Amino acid sequence: GTVTTFHRKSSGSLGTFDGPVVWTFTHATWEGRPAVIQMARLGGSAFDPKTHANMATLDAEGKATMVFDPPVGFQWPMQVGKTWTSKHTVTTPATGRSVPLEVNWKVEAWEDVTVPAGTYKAYKVVTTNNLGEVETRWVAPAAGVLLAKRLVTRPATHPQGAGELEGVLLSQVPPAK
């Protein structure tokens, strides 16, 4: 599968880290459904292969730590000015506890984003959720880059506490043919 490397700098509830993170993408099955599994050393996610929506976060062994119903993801096609709200239930399998998640999405711009891997024409998408988290992503689907850059901010009122994260794409290597 494809291998991407990001530089991640994070603090607080998003973990204290400053360095490279290598993600490997493979096509697999998750909970009996086709999935793209994205894994790094400490965990990953299971995505719907058609919509790229996040079905679950996974621990290092590939077991679900959070399950999203329905999966959380973009509405395609994207266009500047597009807004939507999505509603989900987030379940923690270890406890069986579920909480509602409401995400407000806005495609703010179509712009150049420059990261160590290069410069891409990308959609700037900003999300806010009912837990107070704000996330900005630069998505370049025409270049085959689903994530070029990501900024996340959690306030002190977030259930997991305050935190910040910045991720920038260092490289993306497609699978060998």
Side-chain angles (χ1 to χ4, degrees):
T2 299
V3 176
T4 61
T5 304
F6 283 85
H7 182 267
R8 175 186 171 131
K9 184 174 183 178
S10 57
S11 62
S13 65
L14 289 158
T16 302
F17 188 79
D18 188 354
V21 178
V22 178
W23 296 94
T24 301
F25 294 78
T26 56
H27 287 272
T29 301
W30 181 81
E31 299 281 314
R33 298 184 281 185
V36 173
I37 306 296
Q38 170 188 335
M39 290 298 291
R41 185 172 56 85
L42 297 177
S45 297
F47 291 92
D48 180 290
K50 291 186 174 133
T51 65
H52 304 288
N54 190 354
M55 299 187 290
T57 59
L58 309 172
D59 66 15
E61 285 78 47
K63 293 187 175 113
T65 57
M66 289 190 296
V67 177
F68 304 99
D69 184 26
V72 179
F74 300 117
Q75 281 187 358
W76 303 96
M78 291 227 198
Q79 63 185 42
V80 175
K82 182 175 184 175
T83 62
W84 69 96
T85 299
S86 59
K87 294 183 180 191
H88 313 271
T89 300
V90 182
T91 302
T92 305
T95 63
R97 184 171 178 251
S98 295
V99 296
L101 177 67
E102 185 171 302
V103 183
N104 295 305
W105 305 75
K106 182 174 185 185
V107 182
E108 288 195 347
W110 171 250
E111 62 189 19
D112 287 337
V113 61
T114 300
V115 294
T119 299
Y120 303 96
K121 274 294 197 190
Y123 290 103
K124 179 183 177 185
V125 182
V126 177
T127 61
T128 57
N129 69 36
N130 60 309
L131 304 174
E133 186 172 288
V134 177
E135 181 170 358
T136 304
R137 291 177 179 236
W138 284 263
V139 182
V145 175
L146 283 176
L147 185 61
K149 184 175 179 179
R150 175 180 180 216
L151 303 171
V152 181
T153 303
R154 287 181 179 161
T157 56
H158 189 279
Q160 293 173 291
E164 292 188 351
L165 179 148
E166 177 180 20
V168 294
L169 183 63
L170 297 175
S171 66
Q172 179 168 290
V173 179
K177 294 188 180 191

